[in-house]
Amino acid sequence: MARTEHRKDSEEQLTWNARMMQVGWSCSILGGLALIVFVMGLFLNWFDVDGIANDEQLGLAVAVNTGEVAKSADAVKETVAQTSESAEVMAETEVVDGLLLSVGRNGEDYRLNVKPKEGDNKSDEAKIAPLEIKVGEHTTFEGKATEVQELTEESPVRIVYRESEKGLFAINVKVFDKSETEDVAEPNGDE
């Protein structure tokens, strides 16, 4: 019976110690986070620190600059929104490597006709139809062309695009030199 009481006291002591360790760790983590926020806030001008010192007293005043905090919060919101929009757009994109057959214009929009590169299956049944991809003001360009007017027919291209109810829209167009066409586009001669 004495052993049972000793074991019970020991278990209560362990659970008490475990609880105190959890409280200690929680306070340490919260204190560390508060210190990080305070130091970061000093650099971002969230806080104004003012001190008064004389022979007998040392006074320190910390004021929160709510305007700067609000600006920082708005900047974080905007960054998160842009990142989530970019992630959403990139999740819905596809990439096509191929040969630019033609560049046309329909009102304000340009349209690219691209013959996708053939896959590994080169049989006659696996003919791939050209894609018509619209180019808008937000489309970016890389490689030989820096804008849609510089695109030339029969150029090998890699286009990142997204599909919507209104068709295919180019996000990025990369134009390669003909010498770089080994991995990008191979015409199959059946135009």
Side-chain angles (χ1 to χ4, degrees):
M1 185 147 174
R3 259 184 159 190
T4 308
E5 288 178 20
H6 178 67
R7 185 180 301 156
K8 189 175 183 182
D9 290 340
S10 177
E11 287 175 1
E12 286 178 13
Q13 185 67 31
L14 282 175
T15 56
W16 174 255
N17 287 343
R19 286 185 197 147
M20 288 293 99
M21 284 183 67
Q22 288 175 343
V23 168
W25 277 110
S26 298
C27 289
S28 297
I29 290 170
L30 288 175
L33 287 173
L35 182 64
I36 289 170
V37 168
F38 182 73
V39 170
M40 189 174 76
L42 287 175
F43 285 111
L44 294 174
N45 200 21
W46 291 351
F47 305 110
D48 291 325
V49 180
D50 193 17
I52 301 170
N54 58 29
D55 291 342
E56 296 176 15
Q57 293 181 342
L58 175 65
L60 186 64
V62 177
V64 177
N65 188 346
T66 57
E68 288 296 323
V69 173
K71 275 189 212 174
S72 295
D74 290 342
V76 168
K77 282 182 193 175
E78 185 176 322
T79 302
V80 168
Q82 288 175 350
T83 303
S84 64
E85 287 173 8
S86 296
E88 184 179 321
V89 166
M90 292 311 289
E92 297 174 359
T93 62
E94 295 186 41
V95 178
V96 62
D97 289 336
L99 203 60
L100 183 62
L101 298 177
S102 66
V103 179
R105 189 165 185 161
N106 184 4
E108 297 275 323
D109 294 332
Y110 283 91
R111 297 176 189 269
L112 308 178
N113 286 313
V114 178
K115 181 166 182 98
K117 176 182 174 183
E118 287 186 16
D120 293 334
N121 184 0
K122 303 230 182 211
S123 68
D124 289 342
E125 295 83 40
K127 302 288 186 216
I128 301 172
L131 298 175
E132 183 177 283
I133 303 174
K134 298 173 187 173
V135 176
E137 62 185 43
H138 298 295
T139 303
T140 58
F141 292 88
E142 295 179 49
K144 287 181 58 179
T146 58
E147 57 184 22
V148 71
Q149 292 86 357
E150 296 175 2
L151 295 173
T152 57
E153 294 179 3
E154 300 297 319
S155 296
V157 293
R158 174 173 292 143
I159 301 177
V160 178
Y161 66 94
R162 66 179 173 81
E163 188 172 353
S164 76
E165 309 85 42
K166 297 180 181 181
L168 307 178
F169 292 90
I171 295 170
N172 179 274
V173 177
K174 183 171 184 178
V175 181
F176 296 92
D177 283 329
K178 297 228 187 235
S179 61
E180 299 175 298
T181 60
E182 297 168 4
D183 294 333
V184 179
E186 296 174 6
N188 62 4
D190 55 52
E191 330 249 343

